[in-house]
Amino acid sequence: MGLSKVNRLSSREDFRAVFRAGIRRNSDRMTLRALRMQNATTSVADGKLATATHKVGAPTRIGISISTKVSKKAVVRNRIKRQLRVAFRCLLPRISPGWLLVVIVHPSAARQECVTKQFLQELEQLLVAAEVLNGNS
């Protein structure tokens, strides 16, 4: 089973904020972008002022970005997304609240036939490196 709707990052503005201001950690199969939510975040893009308001104690929200460069087949991309959601669901109780997280999957993830355990291990390493897990922030 995947992530609940409360923990899913879906708005384009939130993805842009994470890509613009978030920290980046890389591994062989994926990149993690992480942004700590503030009471009010303000950003300037293309000369326009955009404000997104988030509560600091709000639940952590997670987005997964996987392009057709990973695989032309939607079946393969969707399988990887499902595996990542399951891995995140296992790690969610240990993640501090108030983060926006985006995982960008690299093409090597499809070539290596990863299983959920491998994704779980790699995600845990990335979250520790980004100091997102409880006890690390």
Side-chain angles (χ1 to χ4, degrees):
M1 197 155 161
L3 291 170
S4 65
K5 285 205 172 204
V6 174
N7 296 112
R8 290 194 186 179
L9 187 67
S10 57
S11 79
R12 177 176 235 146
E13 290 79 26
D14 288 339
F15 269 92
R16 283 186 181 155
V18 173
F19 279 104
R20 192 176 311 112
I23 60 172
R24 180 181 12 201
R25 298 293 180 262
N26 297 312
S27 70
D28 293 338
R29 296 183 199 105
M30 61 191 92
T31 298
L32 174 73
R33 301 291 296 246
L35 178 65
R36 185 88 170 151
M37 287 190 260
Q38 306 296 323
N39 282 335
T41 56
T42 307
S43 59
V44 178
D46 303 324
K48 298 176 184 173
L49 188 65
T51 304
T53 305
H54 303 287
K55 296 177 183 170
V56 174
T60 294
R61 294 186 307 167
I62 299 160
I64 299 170
S65 174
I66 181 166
S67 74
T68 53
K69 289 180 184 178
V70 174
S71 174
K72 299 289 184 203
K73 298 178 181 179
V75 173
V76 174
R77 294 193 310 270
N78 290 334
R79 182 184 311 121
I80 292 170
K81 279 194 266 187
R82 281 193 306 274
Q83 289 174 333
L84 282 171
R85 284 191 201 116
V86 168
F88 265 118
R89 186 166 180 194
C90 294
L91 290 170
L92 204 55
R94 296 175 49 204
I95 298 175
S96 318
W99 284 93
L100 297 178
L101 304 172
V102 175
V103 173
I104 301 106
V105 180
H106 299 174
S108 61
R111 285 188 294 244
Q112 296 173 355
E113 288 297 320
C114 298
V115 293
T116 305
K117 256 186 179 174
Q118 292 169 327
F119 280 129
L120 180 65
Q121 183 179 19
E122 200 162 328
L123 276 174
E124 188 171 11
Q125 291 171 352
L126 289 172
L127 291 169
V128 167
E131 298 181 356
V132 174
L133 287 180
N134 279 333
N136 291 322
S137 55

